[in-house]
Amino acid sequence: MVLEKLGSSLREALRKIAGASHVDEALIKEIVRDIQRALLQADVNVELVLRITRRLEKRAFEEKPPSGMSPREHVVRIIYEELVKVLGNTHELPLTKQRILMVGLYGQGKTTTIGKLARHFQKKGLGVGVVAADTHRPAAYDQLKQLADSIKVPFYGDREGRDAVKVAKAGLKALDGTDIVIVDSSGRHALEADLIAEIKAVAKVVQPNETILVLDATTGQQAGPQAKAFHEAVGVTAVIVTKLDGSAKGGGALSAVGETKAPIVFIGVGEKIEDLEKFDPPRFIGGLLGMGDLESLLEKAQEAIDAERAEALAKKVMSGKFTLHEMYEQIEMLGKMGPAQKLLRMLPGVADRMKDGELDDTQRKLRRFLVIMDSMTDSEMSDPRAVKSTHVSRIARGAGVAPRDVKELLKHYEMSRKAIKGFGGNRKMRKQLMKQLEASGVNLSEQ
Ligand SMILES: Nc1nc2c(ncn2[C@@H]2O[C@H](COP(=O)(O)OP(=O)(O)OP(=O)(O)O)[C@@H](O)[C@H]2O)c(=O)[nH]1
Ligand SMILES: [Mg+2]
């Protein structure tokens, strides 16, 4: 596992939470200090560490755990969320026809990573070809050819060629019709003007869907400024961080790149062609923290939050407040799984006309309702009965539907409102629903 040391220090901190008799200020301060130390040891930038831990502390002190979640679980969740945030966005290379241009400085792992990427796409059943447009080092040709041969993917190169643009152009022609074409480029010791000019010229003929920057994790925090400079110079859509195996500075590289918001798509974890791992910040942090327990914990948290929202909504509706705002929330939450959905299905209105056979149709219709409501103004949502027929065509245009769809929504609302009103007036039915809701664990006592 990469970043073994960071992972074990973080898990050690989490174990302290699990083992404590209760979560108090002193414990939180201690945990935050532990995390601080662990991040600094992994070479994460001091300022960034302070920012992370300040946020951790603030949230752990100020946020109340959602009902159904213990303070202990809540703190673990906050730690997880804040660490995920540091690593930036998740981006996945699509499995579609595309051209990829690899860029980076000398020795960062561009060529090796092309072999790994080609293998990745090949395993997914896509046709891949590679182009040796690093015309600076003659050895680059042989290196890429050897990699391509080893996994039997088409290769294009010109051993004597000195013009990267020409080679790239000829390569695209030779590999025309191949699903995925990956183009190598030459490096430099630093991001110099002639490298920028060369990459730009190559990019102009390649027209890449992805420009992937390859960064060596052993450069540590320097990876951040490097990513930024490359992005400003030639536009980078994704980053691959290599050599995370055995680099104690990996945390510095990952977090520094994460801060630039350039998405890391893969990490290199060895010299072999299979040593490439998909990079997904939530999964990566989950792995560091010992995901097994965490997954169910996070699910539980989401369910607790949904259940709280559903409960608040049920109370509002039962007390007679039912505008399009409530209907929107109800429909939106019906799309979720778990106890929240069960609860809302018991409420009159939208859900009770959902028979099993009609589920698909109904769901499509409900989704369209949400789109329509997104085109309504706040006051139309609050007072749907005042929506004039002149508004209907505007709303329909905004939502990209026919006016009759908007009218159908309004009719649906009116029927739901009547059902709820009738329900509220019928004490026996009301009581029965309350019983059902309470049996499903909803607390309606303080209505
Ligand atoms: N341990 C380890 N070594 C790697 C990894 N990726 C690349 N390397 C090694 O790093 C060295 C440089 O890799 P190259 O792929 O030649 O780097 P490059 O960016 O193409 O370099 P230039 O073509 O000189 O600009 C090679 O010895 C690779 O085996 C990795 O993820 N882990
Ligand atoms: Mg190379």
Side-chain angles (χ1 to χ4, degrees), residues 1-4 116 215-218 240-254 264 266-270 275 277 279 284:
M1 175 190 182
V2 297
L3 301 183
E4 185 49 61
K116 293 176 178 180
L215 287 170
D216 179 338
T218 57
I240 295 179
V241 178
T242 61
K243 308 185 199 178
L244 266 164
D245 50 311
S247 162
K249 289 183 168 183
L254 292 178
I264 300 172
F266 284 100
I267 53 177
V269 294
D275 294 335
E277 285 178 9
F279 188 76
F284 185 77

Side-chain angles (χ1 to χ4, degrees), residues 32-48:
V32 167
R33 257 197 316 274
D34 286 350
I35 293 175
Q36 221 164 51
R37 201 174 312 122
L39 293 174
L40 287 172
Q41 272 170 4
D43 185 49
V44 179
N45 175 277
V46 179
E47 254 170 65
L48 178 58

Side-chain angles (χ1 to χ4, degrees), residues 110-111 134 137 140 143 184-185:
K110 283 181 301 297
T111 309
D134 174 356
R137 287 190 318 120
Q143 189 190 359
D184 198 3
S185 69

Side-chain angles (χ1 to χ4, degrees), residues 32 48-63 78-79 81-82 85-86:
V32 167
L48 178 58
V49 170
L50 288 178
R51 225 178 312 140
I52 299 164
T53 48
R54 253 198 310 268
R55 268 195 65 79
L56 269 179
E57 211 171 72
K58 187 169 149 60
R59 286 190 60 190
F61 285 144
E62 288 177 6
E63 281 179 22
I78 291 173
I79 294 171
E81 283 180 352
E82 290 302 320
K85 240 187 257 166
V86 176

Side-chain angles (χ1 to χ4, degrees), residues 18-159:
S21 56
H22 62 289
V23 177
D24 59 8
E25 205 177 306
L27 177 69
I28 289 176
K29 286 215 156 120
E30 188 185 334
I31 303 292
V32 167
R33 257 197 316 274
D34 286 350
I35 293 175
Q36 221 164 51
R37 201 174 312 122
L39 293 174
L40 287 172
Q41 272 170 4
D43 185 49
V44 179
N45 175 277
V46 179
E47 254 170 65
L48 178 58
V49 170
L50 288 178
R51 225 178 312 140
I52 299 164
T53 48
R54 253 198 310 268
R55 268 195 65 79
L56 269 179
E57 211 171 72
K58 187 169 149 60
R59 286 190 60 190
F61 285 144
E62 288 177 6
E63 281 179 22
K64 262 184 41 193
S67 72
M69 221 186 174
S70 70
R72 213 185 287 280
E73 293 166 331
H74 187 52
V75 171
V76 173
R77 180 163 184 255
I78 291 173
I79 294 171
Y80 165 83
E81 283 180 352
E82 290 302 320
L83 291 177
V84 169
K85 240 187 257 166
V86 176
L87 293 181
N89 304 321
T90 301
H91 176 59
E92 207 173 338
L93 296 184
L95 295 173
T96 50
K97 209 171 152 65
Q98 60 183 307
R99 291 170 180 177
I100 298 173
L101 175 62
M102 304 290 272
V103 301
L105 299 182
Y106 273 141
Q108 305 276 306
K110 283 181 301 297
T111 309
T112 311
T113 305
I114 290 181
K116 293 176 178 180
L117 260 188
R119 180 81 187 114
H120 160 77
F121 286 119
Q122 187 184 45
K123 277 200 290 199
K124 303 284 180 195
L126 289 154
V128 194
V130 300
V131 179
D134 174 356
T135 48
H136 273 238
R137 287 190 318 120
Y141 173 99
D142 299 325
Q143 189 190 359
L144 188 59
K145 179 154 192 333
Q146 201 178 9
L147 281 168
D149 288 348
S150 76
I151 53 171
K152 300 190 172 60
V153 302
F155 162 89
Y156 178 86
D158 175 358
R159 214 164 189 288

Side-chain angles (χ1 to χ4, degrees), residues 333-334 336-347 351 437 440:
M333 296 203 67
L334 274 173
K336 303 203 170 186
M337 302 306 283
Q341 189 192 38
K342 237 178 6 207
L343 193 160
L344 288 178
R345 270 169 174 259
M346 286 181 212
L347 275 181
L437 287 176
S440 73

